[in-house]
Amino acid sequence: MLVYLDNSATTRQYDEVTKTMMKVMEDSYGNPSSLHTLGYDAEKLVKNARRTLAQSLGASEDEIIFTSCGTESDNTALYGIAHSKRRQGNKIITTKVEHPAILEACKVLEKEGFEIKYIGVDDKCRLNMDELENTIDDDTILISVMSVNNETGTIMPISEIAKMKKNAALHTDAVQGYGKVDLKNCKADLISVSAHKIHGPKGMGALYLKKGINLPAYLTGGGQERGYRSGTENVPGIVGFGKAVELAFGSFDRRITAMAQAREHLRAGIEDRIKDVIINSPEDGAASVLNVSFLGTRGEVLLHTLEQDGIFVSTGSACSSNKKGKGQSHVLGAMGLSPKEIEGAIRFSFSEFNTTEEMDYVLDKLEAAVARFRKLGSFR
Ligand code: PLP
């Protein structure tokens, strides 16, 4: 049996997305900027995909910019707002638990002279809203808070933050929230999304840019994407993204129910069958993530043991966990977990394809792996 539980790292592309992309590559290879029919056909495909994305965010078509990934969307938003609003203020507020696509960009901005404030979280990764409210002042030009945390699934209250933002632009990294929580009414001014987390192609992202918010061009050249991001459009990627959005949002409730069932089955089974665990995800988190510390074990070893039984999980964010010497999860650290608790953490992340039968198989293998590890390590 193969049980894929690393859907926050990336998802399996929908077959229909692959077929659609193949057809575009074979038949619609024109450049959307060309004046002939092949160009026009490609332009129409891009326009349709843009409309699909806009609808999914409750936006209009001219508020969507296609990018090469969630990271590019995040970087574009942060650098763009910081540089265009520099005269209005110097303070940028974010959180301690953002993805490196935000935190590393903040480090660059810090070197440029911006003051960056990092808001803390509690033991379930819930944002300290009082600290946030007290930090926002008239000098604050940008607030960037993720909509769903990638390691714990904690949902951040973006629409609440929108009410307290004063003059700041509000950006949300919704790479993990898109297709999992409703973003239509989140009231953010900029929203980053990525295709490969919702069964679309890798290397495709988008940035929602609310009307009236202007950024300097990120890539200059032929003026594509309303001048924000020049370069010939990735037509197959864009169309594949649109198809994934159509499918994922077309079955939104069914998908979330399937994920929630798998997650709840696994959580209840772990609590029932395995002692000395800490559930790091909040109960009201997104249905897509369950983070658990198995005390007296090492997550990395558990990961490879489970892999031998065809079960694929993660110890944290895939984007940083593959970097040797990168250290422990900054997210779990900010939540106040001890180094040992962080060391024993596993992230299970779900898609609509996971079933409760799969979770029973995972529970059997997990229970045995944890017991074996603890016996060897003489835990308790
Ligand atoms: N932001 C979050 C919260 C993520 O989880 C990820 C990817 O894991 C990214 C940004 C980066 O997205 P991409 O892989 O499309 O660059």
Side-chain angles (χ1 to χ4, degrees):
M1 194 186 244
L2 189 156
V3 186
Y4 184 71
L5 287 175
D6 200 12
N7 289 282
S8 291
T10 197
T11 53
R12 183 168 77 77
Q13 194 163 296
Y14 287 131
D15 293 340
E16 210 175 316
V17 168
T18 308
K19 277 188 209 136
T20 307
M21 289 175 70
M22 291 290 284
K23 193 157 166 42
V24 172
M25 283 187 260
E26 282 167 6
D27 301 339
S28 309
Y29 49 83
N31 185 325
S33 300
S34 292
L35 296 178
H36 48 67
T37 334
L38 270 178
Y40 174 75
D41 288 347
E43 189 191 8
K44 210 161 85 185
L45 288 171
V46 170
K47 194 171 160 46
N48 288 344
R50 199 185 303 279
R51 186 181 315 127
T52 305
L53 257 88
Q55 281 166 356
S56 73
L57 291 166
S60 58
E61 284 165 52
D62 56 2
E63 292 175 313
I64 303 293
I65 299 167
F66 285 115
T67 65
S68 70
C69 56
T71 301
E72 186 190 319
S73 302
D74 283 345
N75 277 216
T76 306
L78 263 63
Y79 296 142
I81 292 290
H83 295 152
S84 65
K85 281 174 151 287
R86 181 169 246 161
R87 289 218 191 99
Q88 284 158 254
N90 197 47
K91 194 195 267 186
I92 294 171
I93 303 176
T94 186
T95 80
K96 290 185 178 166
V97 295
E98 297 298 310
H99 186 273
I102 297 291
L103 295 177
E104 294 297 318
C106 283
K107 278 192 204 158
V108 173
L109 292 170
E110 212 156 15
K111 284 199 190 116
E112 289 180 19
F114 289 95
E115 181 192 8
I116 318 280
K117 294 284 184 192
Y118 299 89
I119 307 298
V121 294
D122 71 5
D123 62 344
K124 299 285 185 210
C125 199
R126 286 177 291 237
L127 199 61
N128 185 335
M129 292 295 277
D130 290 337
E131 187 189 353
L132 175 63
E133 188 157 28
N134 293 331
T135 309
I136 300 170
D137 60 13
D138 293 338
D139 197 37
T140 309
I141 50 171
L142 170 64
I143 303 168
S144 181
V145 176
M146 65 203 328
S147 61
V148 169
N149 182 268
N150 49 313
E151 294 195 34
T152 62
T154 307
I155 300 169
M156 302 292 189
I158 304 302
S159 54
E160 290 300 306
I161 299 170
K163 288 184 200 149
M164 51 172 83
K165 72 185 181 92
K166 294 194 172 157
N167 300 324
L170 175 60
H171 167 251
T172 186
D173 172 349
V175 169
Q176 298 291 344
Y178 191 48
K180 317 280 167 44
V181 296
D182 180 29
L183 296 166
K184 276 188 182 160
N185 301 307
C186 78
K187 307 262 187 337
D189 301 308
L190 304 98
I191 305 176
S192 301
V193 298
S194 179
H196 73 107
K197 311 285 186 181
I198 55 158
H199 309 279
K202 291 169 185 52
M204 262 315 302
L207 178 65
Y208 159 78
L209 195 58
K210 190 171 148 186
K211 257 189 209 97
I213 304 262
N214 294 308
L215 302 182
Y218 189 62
L219 293 175
T220 51
Q224 289 90 343
E225 297 301 307
R226 290 176 43 237
Y228 285 119
R229 185 187 192 272
S230 290
T232 301
E233 297 87 342
N234 172 2
V235 181
I238 290 172
V239 175
F241 195 178
K243 189 53 143 181
V245 172
E246 185 189 312
L247 295 171
F249 282 77
S251 59
F252 194 95
D253 292 344
R254 187 183 56 72
R255 287 176 45 250
I256 301 299
T257 304
M259 282 184 233
Q261 274 169 356
R263 178 187 190 268
E264 183 48 28
H265 198 78
L266 186 63
R267 189 197 59 75
I270 289 172
E271 287 197 314
D272 194 34
R273 293 168 59 168
I274 307 176
K275 283 204 192 78
D276 298 304
V277 297
I278 304 173
I279 306 285
N280 298 314
S281 299
E283 273 189 24
D284 60 356
S288 45
V289 186
L290 179 69
N291 190 307
V292 185
S293 290
F294 298 92
L295 305 181
T297 74
R298 277 183 50 218
E300 200 178 323
V301 178
L302 279 184
L303 178 153
H304 290 302
T305 310
L306 292 173
E307 186 180 11
Q308 286 168 12
D309 291 312
I311 300 165
F312 296 88
V313 298
S314 146
T315 52
S317 155
C319 319
S320 51
S321 58
N322 60 357
K323 289 185 196 152
K324 293 256 182 297
K326 182 94 177 141
Q328 292 193 313
S329 157
H330 67 285
V331 175
L332 300 180
M335 288 160 60
L337 270 68
S338 70
K340 288 276 172 211
E341 289 164 350
I342 299 176
E343 196 173 37
I346 291 278
R347 176 186 71 180
F348 306 93
S349 51
F350 309 90
S351 80
E352 69 224 59
F353 299 123
N354 293 124
T355 62
T356 51
E357 290 74 32
E358 283 182 350
M359 296 311 113
D360 284 331
Y361 173 75
V362 173
L363 283 164
D364 286 344
K365 300 298 176 193
L366 188 61
E367 189 179 16
V370 171
R372 199 160 58 237
F373 195 104
R374 284 177 175 168
K375 201 167 162 203
L376 287 174
S378 333
F379 176 71
R380 289 190 191 214

